[in-house]
């Protein structure tokens, strides 16, 4: 229990919550001491509005983003206050302001957070309206609060400049360990492999986000503030983690075939599975060490585990005899080589946290590394292009604007105590997707009722304002910490915080709770209905786009692998970029599938086909990565004409699938006819030429010849699998479009 508490208080979410809590509490205490509580409270609001924009990035972008957000939230608050006295102007102006505030989210994650902050500021501006010079002062205090939050955030940054990166690295190592553990689970004879692969896809989504955060900070900081030994070390660890994941993804085995092959000799497979678990266990322990900021001491002797697997292979060979065991030994040797590569990479990560690293130099590669960053630019053309019903941003902005306006009018016409609570509920709950909005609506109402009841019970028993203030601060801190991970808990605690604050300011606390619950119910209901009836963004409408991007990314990655196989030399940056994009797009496809599962059954159209295509694309990515990894780590022979022919067939199938998805017609793109006999001939030709050449090569000793034959066999098996996968992707894509035409 104590370890869990320590882990929680040392997490990124808790540190972020500490920043906004400190930035909100200090002004209130300071100005309340001077007798200006309202000024302190307004500055605290400015800090609270601004903190969502403090997302992972380099320091320069962080400062710019927070300052711009502080300016936006203070300006929209001022505009609402200045225009409110003129009803004939106010209502159309409010609608336009809400719509534009929502539309700025077209510019990416930071802009989305700034948009959310602006909408919060507009909603809460109705809590206490001002006129004239008072309105200007009020908005100035909000801006000051944003700047104060920036100061607090910078203090946290300079006190522990590398802590955020270390925590993200720790999470990345932990999730990678979990990924390797799932790979080990695949070796259980009765394993539900379909379910395990789905879990791996879910992990892929989480890893993609962490990897993107780390790119923004590590590579961005190199570009703006130069290099440092700590930054270099973390960058090495990050790159190695990506390689560990690629290596795990790339090494696919036919488990059914292996279990059948080693049915009478299970010791070898058990030995390998034990090694796989030890790899995961080592990373898990390493993650805990990084999270605690303690010096890492290696626990598992991975070399001993490798030796154990080698002994198991030798025992298998001795039991069956060299000739009879040859195929099995080849399979086991491939598994051993994979494990050896993973151990080498894990040793690099271990070394980074147990001693200094000086052997890696990125000075000449800064410009290449910067290509992995998401571009930070905001052309007005992007906003203009999205002013169309074909844009999901436009539809969501319009939906959100209408819902808030309806909520505001209902709050004015009916005897609600605080109309801004309705608006606040809509802003916080409403998301572009139906599933997430529905889930947040339920959690919001549940948390509001539960939090209100608990807080009312405490306020009824405790009448000491200092004690209640402490309860309020604790609830705010922990509630904000849970915002991303558990919205139900977050809402419960934030409701308790609000009730505690009102418990200090007003004696009629029961009425406050009643109206807060009622307002939350109205806001949640409006948000839910709007997402269902107003231009709903059902996932099946965007499924073709996600599928197209995933297949396109897979195709580009495979093309880069083929080019590298033909040209050899240094691995180009374009290869790594294609790999990164393939990981991201298949993660996005899986995220879309997860959202679809949360939607009504009637809207889960083509669910089986989308699921199959997600798994097939993941398998194709795995096969491509396997080929790419092998080519990188072995001195391969020149790519043959037959190899390029087969790759062209796979790419042609993928191009056909992309064209079908893009245009919604199965007959629009004419795929070149694939002569099955010709394809089989090229596979046989690959085998014949490679094995014949290797058998007659007198310069090779027995071990070298065996290694080369393994290369030839691996390449051929991957090509056969890729062809089969691309064929299935094309077939199911046709089914998908046939059942869901434009």
């Amino acid at each position: 229990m104590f370890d869990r508490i320590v882990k929680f208080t040392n997490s990124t979410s808790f540190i972020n919550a500490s920043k906004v809590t400190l930035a909100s509490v200090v002004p209130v205490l300071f100005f309340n001491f001077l007798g200006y509580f309202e000024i302190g409270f307004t500055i605290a609001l400015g800090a609270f509005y601004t903190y969502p924009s403090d997302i992972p990035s380099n320091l320069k972008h962080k400062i710019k983003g927070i300052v711009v957000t502080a300016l936006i939230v203070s300006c929209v608050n001022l505009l609402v206050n200045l225009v409110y006295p003129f009803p004939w102007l106010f209502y159309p102006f409010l609608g336009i302001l809400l719509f534009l505030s929502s539309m700025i989210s077209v510019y990416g994650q930071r802009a989305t957070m700034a948009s959310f902050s602006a909408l919060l500021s507009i909603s809460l501006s109705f809590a206490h309206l001002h006129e004239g010079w008072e309105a200007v002062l009020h908005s100035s205090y909000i801006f000051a609060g944003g700047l104060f939050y920036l100061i607090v955030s910078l203090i946290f940054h300079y006190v522990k400049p590398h802590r955020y990166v270390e925590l993200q690295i720790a999470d990345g190592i932990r999730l990678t360990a979990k990924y390797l553990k799932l790979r080990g689970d695949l070796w259980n004879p009765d394993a539900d492999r379909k379910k395990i692969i789905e879990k791996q896809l879910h992990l892929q989504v989480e890893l993609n986000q962490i990897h993107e955060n780390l790119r923004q900070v590590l590579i961005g900081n190199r570009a703006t503030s130069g290099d440092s030994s700590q930054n270099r070390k973390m960058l090495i660890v990050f790159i190695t983690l990506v390689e560990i994941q690629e290596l795990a993804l790339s090494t696919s085995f036919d488990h059914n075939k292996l279990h059948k092959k080693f049915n009478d000799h299970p010791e070898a497979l058990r030995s390998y599975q034990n090694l796989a678990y030890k790899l995961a266990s080592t990373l898990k322990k390493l993650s805990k060490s990084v999270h605690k900021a303690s010096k890492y001491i290696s626990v598992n002797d991975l070399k001993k585990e490798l030796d154990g697997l080698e002994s198991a292979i030798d025992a298998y060979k001795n039991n069956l005899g060299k000739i009879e065991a040859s195929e099995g030994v080849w399979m086991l040797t491939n598994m051993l080589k994979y494990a050896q590569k993973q151990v080498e990479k894990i040793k690099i990560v271990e070394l980074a946290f147990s001693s200094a690293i000086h052997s890696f130099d990125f000075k000449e590669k800064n410009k290449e590394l910067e290509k992995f960053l998401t571009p930070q630019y905001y052309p007005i053309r992007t906003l203009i292009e999205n002013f169309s019903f074909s844009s999901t941003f436009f539809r969501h902005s319009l939906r959100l604007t209408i819902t808030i306006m309806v909520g505001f009018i209902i709050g004015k016409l009916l005897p609600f105590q605080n109309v801004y609570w309705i608006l606040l509920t809509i802003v916080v709950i409403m998301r572009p997707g139906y599933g997430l909005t529905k889930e947040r609506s339920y959690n919001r109402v549940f948390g509001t009722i539960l939090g209100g009841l608990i807080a009312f019970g405490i306020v009824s028993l405790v009448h000491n304002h200092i004690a209640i203030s402490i309860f309020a601060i604790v609830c705010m801190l922990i509630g904000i910490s849970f915002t991303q991970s558990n919205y139900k808990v977050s809402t419960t605690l934030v409701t308790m915080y609000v009730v505690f604050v009102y418990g200090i300011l007003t004696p009629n606390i029961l009425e406050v709770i009643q109206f807060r619950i009622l307002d939350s119910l109205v806001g949640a209901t409006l948000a839910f209905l709007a997402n269902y009836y107003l231009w709903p963004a059902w996932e099946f409408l965007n499924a073709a786009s996600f599928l197209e991007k995933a297949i396109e990314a897979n195709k580009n990655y495979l093309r880069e692998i083929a080019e590298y196989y033909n040209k050899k030399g240094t691995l180009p940056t374009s290869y790594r970029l294609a790999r990164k994009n393939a990981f991201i797009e298949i993660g996005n496809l899986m995220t879309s599938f997860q959202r679809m599962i949360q939607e009504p059954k009637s809207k889960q159209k083509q669910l089986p086909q989308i699921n199959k295509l997600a798994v097939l694309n993941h398998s194709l990515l795995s096969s491509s990565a396997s080929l790419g990894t092998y080519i990188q780590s072995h001195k391969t022979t020149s790519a043959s004409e037959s190899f390029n022919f087969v790759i062209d067939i796979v790419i042609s199938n993928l191009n056909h699938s992309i064209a079908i998805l893009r245009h919604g017609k199965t007959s629009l793109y004419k795929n070149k006819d694939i002569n099955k006999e010709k394809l089989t001939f090229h596979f046989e030709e690959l085998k014949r030429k490679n094995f014949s050449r290797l058998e007659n090569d007198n310069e090779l000793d027995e071990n070298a010849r065996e290694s080369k034959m393994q290369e030839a066999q691996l390449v051929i098996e991957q090509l056969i699998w890729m062809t089969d996968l691309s064929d299935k992707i094309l077939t199911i894509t046709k089914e998908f479009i046939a059942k869901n035409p434009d």
Side-chain angles (χ1 to χ4, degrees):
M1 183 65 181
F2 178 74
D3 287 342
R4 287 187 178 183
I5 294 172
V6 171
K7 184 177 179 180
F8 174 72
T9 56
N10 203 20
S11 65
T12 304
S13 58
F14 186 83
I15 291 172
N16 290 337
S18 299
K19 288 191 283 187
V20 67
T21 302
L22 187 64
S24 300
V25 170
V26 169
V28 172
L29 294 178
F30 178 75
F31 282 95
N32 185 56
F33 177 76
L34 297 177
Y36 299 101
F37 172 80
E38 189 174 334
I39 293 176
F41 187 75
T42 307
I43 292 174
L45 276 179
F48 182 77
Y49 292 153
T50 306
Y51 102 91
S53 64
D54 189 6
I55 64 172
S57 64
N58 64 62
L59 194 58
K60 182 181 177 182
H61 287 156
K62 175 199 282 281
I63 294 171
K64 283 184 178 179
I66 292 175
V67 171
V68 169
T69 302
L71 190 62
I72 289 173
V73 296
S74 59
C75 286
V76 295
N77 183 276
L78 176 62
L79 290 170
V80 169
N81 279 278
L82 292 179
V83 179
Y84 185 77
F86 311 100
W88 57 273
L89 177 63
F90 171 72
Y91 285 95
F93 176 80
L94 178 62
I96 293 170
L97 187 62
L98 288 167
F99 180 76
L100 292 177
S101 296
S102 181
M103 276 295 292
I104 61 176
S105 59
V106 300
Y107 290 112
Q109 186 185 6
R110 193 184 297 281
T112 299
M113 294 296 99
S115 169
F116 177 71
S117 295
L119 293 168
L120 278 182
S121 181
I122 294 171
S123 302
L124 289 174
S125 64
F126 297 106
H128 196 174
L129 291 158
H130 303 268
E131 294 183 4
W133 183 245
E134 271 192 21
V136 176
L137 279 176
H138 185 76
S139 64
S140 299
Y141 295 143
I142 288 175
F143 182 67
L147 295 183
F148 182 65
Y149 174 80
L150 174 60
I151 292 170
V152 172
S153 182
L154 289 175
I155 290 172
F156 270 74
H157 171 79
Y158 284 112
V159 169
K160 286 191 173 182
H162 305 294
R163 191 57 185 150
Y164 173 79
V165 172
E166 288 171 352
L167 291 173
Q168 287 288 290
I169 286 286
D171 282 342
I173 296 172
R174 177 181 59 83
L175 291 175
T176 304
K178 201 171 179 180
Y179 194 91
L180 294 184
K181 167 67 167 56
L182 288 172
R183 302 291 292 186
D185 290 342
L186 287 169
W187 289 96
N188 292 324
D190 56 346
D192 185 345
R193 295 191 178 91
K194 182 180 178 183
K195 190 173 182 179
I196 291 172
I197 289 172
E198 285 181 2
K199 286 181 180 179
Q200 288 178 329
L201 283 167
H202 291 215
L203 275 177
Q204 181 72 58
V205 174
E206 293 183 69
L207 280 165
N208 285 348
Q209 184 58 57
I210 288 176
H211 290 171
E212 186 60 28
N213 290 345
L214 287 168
R215 286 187 191 99
Q216 293 298 327
V217 178
L218 289 172
I219 301 175
N221 280 341
R222 292 180 62 82
T224 57
S225 58
D227 197 11
S228 70
S229 59
Q230 181 68 7
N231 198 76
R232 186 189 301 115
K233 181 170 77 172
M234 292 295 103
L235 192 54
I236 291 167
V237 172
F238 165 61
I239 291 171
T240 307
L241 284 176
V242 174
E243 290 173 347
I244 287 172
Q245 187 193 352
E246 182 193 33
L247 189 55
L249 178 71
S250 69
T251 310
S252 301
F253 301 105
D254 188 335
H255 296 89
N256 290 327
K257 182 179 179 181
L258 280 162
H259 279 295
K260 188 175 180 181
K261 182 76 177 174
F262 295 95
N263 188 47
D264 297 327
H265 305 275
E267 301 82 11
L269 296 188
R270 277 202 300 266
S271 180
Y272 175 78
Q273 186 182 39
N274 184 56
L275 173 56
Y277 283 147
K278 284 292 173 66
L279 295 175
S281 174
T282 301
L283 285 178
K284 187 177 180 181
K285 287 183 173 65
L286 187 54
S287 170
K288 289 180 179 179
S289 174
V290 177
H291 204 280
K292 292 178 181 177
S294 59
K295 186 175 180 181
Y296 174 72
I297 300 173
S298 182
V299 178
N300 293 321
D301 187 350
L302 296 178
K303 186 179 183 306
K304 182 180 177 183
E305 299 298 331
L306 285 173
D307 291 341
L309 179 56
E310 284 192 79
S311 298
I313 296 173
D314 290 337
Y316 173 77
K317 187 194 297 184
N318 293 332
N319 286 338
L320 267 72
K322 186 176 179 181
I323 297 175
E324 189 178 345
S326 59
E327 185 182 3
V329 169
W330 172 76
M331 292 175 176
L332 293 171
T333 302
N334 275 341
M335 293 157 61
L336 175 63
K337 287 182 177 179
Y338 158 74
Q340 287 170 336
K341 292 172 196 169
Q342 286 291 36
V343 169
E344 287 173 12
K345 295 188 182 302
I346 290 173
K347 286 295 180 185
I348 292 174
V349 180
E350 284 186 321
L351 182 64
F353 291 104
S354 56
S355 62
I357 288 184
H358 302 290
S359 58
F360 289 78
D361 185 10
F362 294 102
K363 288 181 180 178
E364 301 300 320
K365 299 181 181 179
N366 273 352
K367 291 184 179 179
E368 294 297 309
L369 289 171
E370 287 178 48
K371 293 179 181 179
F372 291 87
L373 292 175
T374 303
Q376 300 282 335
Y377 58 92
Y378 309 97
I380 190 67
R381 179 168 50 86
T382 301
L383 185 64
I384 294 171
E385 287 174 352
N386 278 275
F387 272 83
S388 164
F389 263 96
S390 61
S391 167
T392 55
F393 293 104
F394 181 87
R395 294 199 303 272
H396 175 64
S397 299
L398 194 59
R399 186 189 310 122
L400 183 60
T401 300
I402 292 172
T403 310
I404 293 174
M405 292 297 292
V406 170
F408 183 78
I409 293 169
I410 289 174
K412 285 294 183 182
L413 294 178
L414 299 178
F416 286 92
Q417 186 185 62
N418 298 307
V419 64
Y420 64 88
W421 271 347
I422 298 176
L423 309 188
L424 182 65
T425 300
I426 294 170
V427 169
V428 171
I429 284 176
M430 206 159 174
R431 293 292 181 270
Y434 167 87
L436 188 55
T437 299
K438 178 184 174 182
E439 181 184 355
R440 290 174 74 88
S441 298
Y442 166 75
N443 290 337
R444 175 82 174 183
V445 173
F446 178 88
T448 300
I449 295 172
L450 181 61
L453 292 174
I454 294 172
F456 177 71
I458 293 173
V459 171
S460 300
L461 296 173
V462 180
H463 303 288
N464 186 299
H465 282 189
I466 295 177
I468 293 175
S469 298
I470 294 171
F471 285 145
I473 293 170
V474 171
C475 285
M476 180 184 184
L477 175 61
I478 301 176
I480 294 174
S481 299
F482 277 103
T483 300
Q484 298 298 324
S485 58
N486 194 322
Y487 186 63
K488 188 184 292 183
V489 172
S490 175
T491 303
T492 302
L493 291 166
V494 170
T495 298
M496 291 172 65
Y497 157 73
V498 171
V499 172
F500 288 145
V501 170
Y502 274 93
I504 298 170
L505 300 177
T506 178
N508 194 8
I509 190 64
L510 182 59
E511 185 177 345
V512 170
I513 294 172
Q514 289 174 338
F515 274 104
R516 177 163 171 78
I517 292 172
L518 181 60
D519 293 337
S520 295
L521 280 169
V522 172
T525 303
L526 288 174
F528 175 76
L529 292 174
N531 263 61
Y532 195 92
Y533 292 107
L534 297 179
W535 313 288
W538 305 120
E539 280 303 317
F540 76 85
L541 297 172
N542 301 314
S545 175
F546 282 111
L547 288 167
E548 179 191 332
K549 289 176 181 177
I551 297 172
E552 179 83 31
N554 252 333
K555 182 196 75 175
N556 292 336
Y557 182 35
L558 179 58
R559 183 171 283 159
E560 285 290 335
I561 291 168
E563 283 190 23
Y564 178 65
Y565 197 8
N566 278 274
K567 296 178 181 178
K568 302 296 192 299
T570 305
L571 193 70
T573 302
S574 57
Y575 178 101
R576 293 189 176 95
L577 285 169
R579 178 183 64 188
K580 169 200 166 187
N581 195 45
F583 279 16
I584 289 172
E585 292 301 341
I586 289 171
N588 290 342
L589 174 59
M590 194 61 198
T591 303
S592 174
F593 176 74
Q594 290 170 346
R595 289 195 297 262
M596 184 182 286
I597 292 174
Q598 295 177 308
E599 295 179 345
K601 293 290 184 183
S602 60
K603 306 301 178 183
Q604 294 179 8
K605 298 182 179 180
Q606 307 296 317
L607 193 66
Q609 283 80 9
I610 295 170
N611 186 31
K612 286 177 184 176
L613 285 169
V615 173
L616 284 170
N617 272 282
H618 179 264
S619 298
L620 182 59
L621 175 61
S622 174
S623 181
S624 300
S626 179
L627 184 60
T629 302
Y630 197 90
I631 293 168
Q632 290 176 61
S633 56
H634 290 73
K635 188 179 179 181
T636 54
T637 54
S638 300
S640 65
E641 181 185 342
S642 295
F643 170 85
N644 289 323
F645 175 84
V646 176
I647 291 293
D648 285 344
I649 293 297
V650 175
I651 289 177
S652 180
N653 281 336
L654 298 181
N655 276 330
H656 194 176
S657 302
I658 292 165
I660 290 170
L661 290 165
R662 187 171 295 165
H663 302 290
K665 296 179 181 178
T666 57
S667 59
L668 187 64
Y669 181 91
K670 294 296 183 183
N671 189 32
K672 63 182 181 182
D673 292 331
I674 299 173
N675 187 319
K676 297 293 184 182
E677 290 183 3
K678 191 174 181 182
L679 186 61
T680 303
F681 167 78
H682 278 287
F683 283 134
E684 293 299 327
E685 190 68 6
L686 276 169
K687 288 182 182 178
R688 187 185 65 77
K689 282 187 176 180
N690 280 284
F691 286 105
S692 176
R693 174 175 53 80
L694 292 170
E695 284 174 0
N696 296 321
D697 191 341
N698 296 323
E699 293 183 6
L700 295 174
D701 58 28
E702 187 176 348
N703 290 334
R705 183 177 289 106
E706 186 178 346
S707 178
K708 292 290 184 183
M709 285 184 172
Q710 287 174 9
E711 173 200 328
Q713 185 64 30
L714 177 74
V715 170
I716 292 165
E717 285 191 354
Q718 292 300 331
L719 289 173
I720 292 171
W721 193 29
M722 283 180 187
T723 308
D724 183 51
L725 288 170
S726 66
D727 233 1
K728 288 178 180 176
I729 288 172
L730 178 56
T731 301
I732 297 174
T733 300
K734 288 178 178 178
E735 289 178 14
F736 173 80
I737 290 299
K739 293 182 180 179
N740 188 35
D742 287 342

